[in-house]
Amino acid sequence: IFDLDPGRFLRSFVGEDDVEFSFVPPAPRGPDPLRVLFFGTYVPLHGIETVIDAACELRQERDIQFCLIGNGQMYPRMRERARTLEVEAEFIDHWVAPTELVRHIQEAHVCLGVFGTTAKAARVIPYKVFDAAAVGRAIITCDSPAAREMLTDGESALLCPAGDGPALASAVRRLRDDDGLRLSLAQTAHAVYRSHGCPEAVGRDLARALQERSESGKVAE
């Protein structure tokens, strides 16, 4: 917008608080249905229609349960889409307190990131991904340049194409059918969070980057 040199900017991960969003080791699922959680403000970059389409693909599979928390710009349209597609997801249509949100994350087996096809969606790793990694839950989010700065497909998350409901449904099935993979993804996601997303790591990396720029003369006084 302002025709500024991109070299004057540094990227710093948003991260998440590691006190309130504290780690709870993931447990084997056992006979329980796979609980899939999305939370957000229903803005376009979230790609919530993709989540609804995936839930539609899976609506006959009673061992998978979707829960969507939040409200916002696209909420009425997404509720209507869910009704039209006969999706039986749980909708909590208000924002919840952080302590309650953490409880929902702890109770989930899988947490969803963003799946929008906008340019902004490809540039961000949203709070919800850091939240899930902080608590220690398996993550599915869209495959994007931003996501690959921190996550590795099949190791610390499952990355699927943006805007592709069937692909998201396939990723959810994969974690339902392979509990060992789900647990491994959760543990590795938390390790990545400790390395890159906790307050200590975010501060350390930013301080290091600023020091390097200062020493190279690229930071103006």
Side-chain angles (χ1 to χ4, degrees), residues 42-92:
Y42 284 78
V43 293
L45 79 85
H46 288 167
I48 302 165
E49 62 270 28
T50 302
V51 177
I52 299 297
D53 290 350
C56 178
E57 287 267 328
L58 300 166
R59 67 184 183 277
Q60 301 300 326
E61 302 183 36
R62 300 301 179 184
D63 54 356
I64 298 174
Q65 297 176 346
F66 280 80
C67 175
L68 290 82
I69 300 174
N71 206 322
Q73 177 183 348
M74 299 182 68
Y75 180 78
R77 195 188 320 167
M78 292 301 102
R79 283 305 305 265
E80 181 58 32
R81 187 185 190 97
R83 280 190 288 267
T84 300
L85 296 176
E86 300 180 347
V87 169
E88 295 185 5
E90 177 186 7
F91 286 88
I92 299 174

